[in-house]
Amino acid sequence: MQNNSTHAMFPDATHDEQAMQSFIKTLRVHVLREFQSSGRSLLESRIEPAIRKVNRDRPPTRKQLREAFARFPSHQAWSSMLRVTQEMLYDTVGPSIERQLPDLISRAQALHGKRGSLTLDPDLELPRYLTAVDIHSKPGSYQQELAPDDLFAGAEFDRTYRLYSMGINGPNLDAGGWSLIAWIKRRYPDFRPKRILDMGCTVGHSTLPYARAFGDDVEVHAIDVAAPCLRYAHARAVAMDETVHFSQQNAEHTNFADGSFDLVVSHLLMHETSRTGLRNVVAESRRLLAPGGVMAHADGIQPADLFQKYYAEWMAHFNNEPFLGSIQDEDFMEICLGAGFRHADCVVGRAPLWRPDLDPDRASETSFLVASARLPLA
Amino acid sequence: MAHQDGSNVHTAAPGERAPRGRQRFAKGRRPFFMRDPDVDRLLAIVTALTAELSVVRERLDTAERLADQGLPATPANIEAYEPEPAVEAEREAIRSAMLDRVFRILSQPHEGDDGSYDAMVDRFS
């Protein structure tokens, strides 16, 4: 029985389950490498020159890229393989989590309430943009409930995300949080938040660094709409000796009072919400900020790189990520201004991937887009 | 009960406490990419079979490594076996090489020309 865990809630795996999951990891590396290398070569040699000719030298649109790539048999094959890899990821990890679900639930029940808190709202209405399809092609998505006190979706996510991110996010899968923290500290060197809110936290991978990064006297809250993820998140945080207050809420309209937080953040939330939802989340962030407070929302999109722009479009259309296409066309500065922030207080930048166990001098190729704004002190 | 139609609807009776089966198929359009979707399906089956082969290969490797330590390959010993990082690295290389071989044809570049005999003759004439 293998665990490979960094915390006591991490699901285990039998010999053959681990062997199957290791295969999926190797398969994903192989497929992504071939998808990207053959795709970039097609883009540079055939697709981009042809589209620029038609467009009178303007860069290809998302739709043009998708339609052009779909015509090449090699790309059809690697697209097919990429979709199959995603399906096998869940079909491999899912049964393993299901096998140990009763044990995971009782382990979580024993940890619940030891520190921090968990507040669920069974009457919370899920936004339609999260129920229309199963996000990331994850069967049952992040909110399906299989049993009382269920945490299947959260436990499955912890294990699949570890395989999916192929080591880049570190052993605690928290590089998203650390990267945004590093960006915030560079951008606002004098800033010392006491009350922090993480929106769309899933199982709290990116949340936990906030309990460490700004001193011991911070109060960290985290919200998500998915109860099974929050139950797992709370138990995982306790197992990792971190104090976080989790509650089941929609980031578009929370129940916190005006000015409740010094820092409101999110990681990979923006592309999971609709165009209207995104504007509501930014407006809600502003409402929740105390004077001098900072909002910072991070997302993984890189539309400046034409192949990354196409890859995000691919995910939108072929991996149930409905808004990963359209978010690339958004003007984040306009969205911040629309929420009532002043132009001089807004910044849209990029946060290089960073975590404390990485060499600070090592330049990272991966970075997050950050949409940030600060409320004036008075 | 298993929901194999991709629906999210919980059909269990009110008050039922037994866990229901996980959903196996994601709700939403299942994309097909090849000219004939049956080729996508076949590719999915071949990939899944390759995974099964890799698991058997790894189980055999565990049995051999147990034997090296003088231990019989009982189910309990196989479950208790924890590979060292060096062993995992070796296995990773074996899996990677297996994928290179099984899916070799997909990596062969074939879009530089239109494949026609006449075009080739023209080019070299």
Side-chain angles (χ1 to χ4, degrees):
Chain A
M1 198 65 80
Q2 302 180 16
N3 192 302
N4 308 323
S5 92
T6 52
H7 62 83
M9 274 307 297
F10 197 69
D12 62 26
T14 64
H15 179 281
D16 289 5
E17 287 169 353
Q18 180 60 55
M20 188 70 92
Q21 292 177 23
S22 300
F23 174 83
I24 301 294
K25 183 177 169 182
T26 312
L27 177 68
R28 189 174 152 76
V29 170
H30 182 94
V31 171
L32 264 186
R33 187 188 64 216
E34 297 296 312
F35 178 92
Q36 286 174 349
S37 67
S38 65
R40 277 196 189 276
S41 146
L42 274 180
L43 180 66
E44 282 157 24
S45 66
R46 309 283 297 273
I47 293 174
E48 190 181 358
I51 296 178
R52 277 192 183 272
K53 209 178 273 180
V54 176
N55 283 7
R56 295 162 196 248
D57 212 36
R58 283 195 309 277
T61 63
R62 292 184 284 116
K63 183 162 180 278
Q64 283 178 316
L65 288 171
R66 179 161 42 85
E67 288 172 353
F69 270 109
R71 284 200 285 272
F72 290 93
S74 69
H75 194 71
Q76 293 167 1
W78 287 115
S79 292
S80 195
M81 290 294 292
L82 194 55
R83 171 73 193 204
V84 165
T85 304
Q86 184 78 358
E87 290 170 347
M88 286 176 67
L89 174 71
Y90 294 118
D91 212 43
T92 293
V93 177
S96 168
I97 305 299
E98 196 173 29
R99 168 184 63 72
Q100 54 193 308
L101 187 57
D103 176 53
L104 286 170
I105 290 174
S106 45
R107 268 151 66 190
Q109 284 166 338
L111 290 167
H112 279 182
K114 290 236 191 302
R115 57 198 301 167
S117 62
L118 173 67
T119 309
L120 298 179
D121 175 8
D123 298 324
L124 181 75
E125 196 179 328
L126 290 165
R128 172 149 165 74
Y129 54 78
L130 291 182
T131 58
V133 297
D134 285 346
I135 303 293
H136 303 144
S137 314
K138 175 173 153 83
S141 201
Y142 291 79
Q143 62 268 8
Q144 93 174 329
E145 305 219 25
L146 302 176
D149 284 343
D150 185 29
L151 42 71
F152 175 90
E156 184 189 53
F157 178 63
D158 205 6
R159 193 105 201 171
T160 52
Y161 193 51
R162 165 91 60 107
L163 288 174
Y164 186 92
S165 63
M166 305 183 301
I168 194 169
N169 285 315
N172 294 332
L173 304 171
D174 54 5
W178 285 117
S179 303
L180 187 54
I181 287 166
W183 187 91
I184 291 166
K185 287 187 169 184
R186 262 197 317 278
R187 175 74 202 181
Y188 310 102
D190 61 323
F191 181 54
R192 297 281 178 276
K194 293 281 178 239
R195 284 176 57 87
I196 300 169
L197 174 65
D198 182 17
M199 293 174 151
C201 64
T202 325
V203 302
H205 288 142
S206 300
T207 313
L208 298 195
Y210 290 88
R212 298 275 167 180
F214 294 102
D216 293 334
D217 53 347
V218 293
E219 185 175 313
V220 180
H221 290 254
I223 60 171
D224 201 278
V225 292
C229 291
L230 289 167
R231 291 191 193 100
Y232 185 83
H234 177 44
R236 177 181 179 271
V238 175
M240 294 177 77
D241 293 329
E242 300 291 6
T243 303
V244 176
H245 300 282
F246 293 95
S247 58
Q248 187 179 11
Q249 301 199 53
N250 183 339
E252 291 183 64
H253 34 77
T254 69
N255 64 14
F256 299 111
D258 291 3
S260 290
F261 294 99
D262 305 308
L263 176 61
V264 175
V265 294
S266 77
H267 313 80
L268 310 183
L269 164 75
M270 292 195 290
H271 77 265
E272 305 292 5
T273 184
S274 67
R275 297 199 61 203
T276 308
L278 173 55
R279 283 152 179 82
N280 290 345
V281 166
V282 174
E284 179 69 356
S285 305
R286 187 180 185 281
R287 181 185 77 77
L288 293 176
L289 286 183
V294 168
M295 167 192 88
H297 297 293
D299 213 295
I301 54 168
Q302 302 179 59
D305 177 318
L306 211 49
F307 188 77
Q308 288 297 332
K309 178 175 168 174
Y310 165 65
Y311 183 46
E313 177 73 0
W314 190 100
M315 301 283 267
H317 280 262
F318 306 129
N319 193 33
N320 289 359
E321 282 268 40
F323 303 102
L324 196 48
S326 57
I327 193 172
Q328 304 190 81
D329 306 332
E330 294 285 10
D331 182 336
F332 293 96
M333 181 60 86
E334 279 302 319
I335 293 172
C336 293
L337 296 175
F341 289 107
R342 300 185 314 192
H343 193 278
D345 298 329
C346 300
V347 56
V348 177
R350 293 206 72 91
L353 184 128
W354 183 77
R355 23 175 246 266
D357 58 316
L358 283 186
D359 180 351
D361 297 328
R362 212 191 103 197
S364 172
E365 284 178 21
T366 309
S367 68
F368 301 90
L369 176 141
V370 183
S372 177
R374 187 171 196 176
L375 271 194
L377 267 170
Chain B
M1 64 172 271
H3 289 250
Q4 303 211 342
D5 59 358
S7 90
N8 267 330
V9 182
H10 184 178
T11 54
E16 182 194 67
R17 295 190 60 82
R20 68 192 174 102
R22 82 194 161 88
Q23 186 183 311
R24 283 198 68 199
F25 300 96
K27 183 177 170 187
R29 182 176 63 99
R30 203 292 178 187
F32 291 90
F33 301 91
M34 321 287 270
R35 257 169 301 182
D36 179 349
D38 280 346
V39 179
D40 291 84
R41 294 190 175 95
L42 196 56
L43 201 50
I45 293 167
V46 169
T47 312
L49 279 174
T50 309
E52 299 295 338
L53 181 61
S54 177
V55 171
V56 174
R57 176 76 180 73
E58 208 143 296
R59 201 169 172 94
L60 182 60
D61 184 63
T62 297
E64 289 170 355
R65 289 177 195 275
L66 286 171
D68 261 349
Q69 298 167 21
L71 293 167
T74 60
N77 284 345
I78 287 173
E79 286 305 328
Y81 176 75
E82 295 266 359
E84 300 287 317
V87 170
E88 180 42 37
E90 260 181 68
R91 290 175 167 189
E92 168 72 29
I94 289 169
R95 291 191 298 263
S96 184
M98 182 195 279
L99 291 172
D100 281 341
R101 291 191 299 273
V102 172
F103 296 107
R104 174 182 176 279
I105 191 67
L106 300 185
S107 296
Q108 180 162 26
H110 62 283
E111 271 143 359
D113 59 66
D114 64 5
S116 88
Y117 175 79
D118 290 342
M120 189 185 73
V121 169
D122 283 351
R123 190 145 26 102
F124 293 106
S125 294

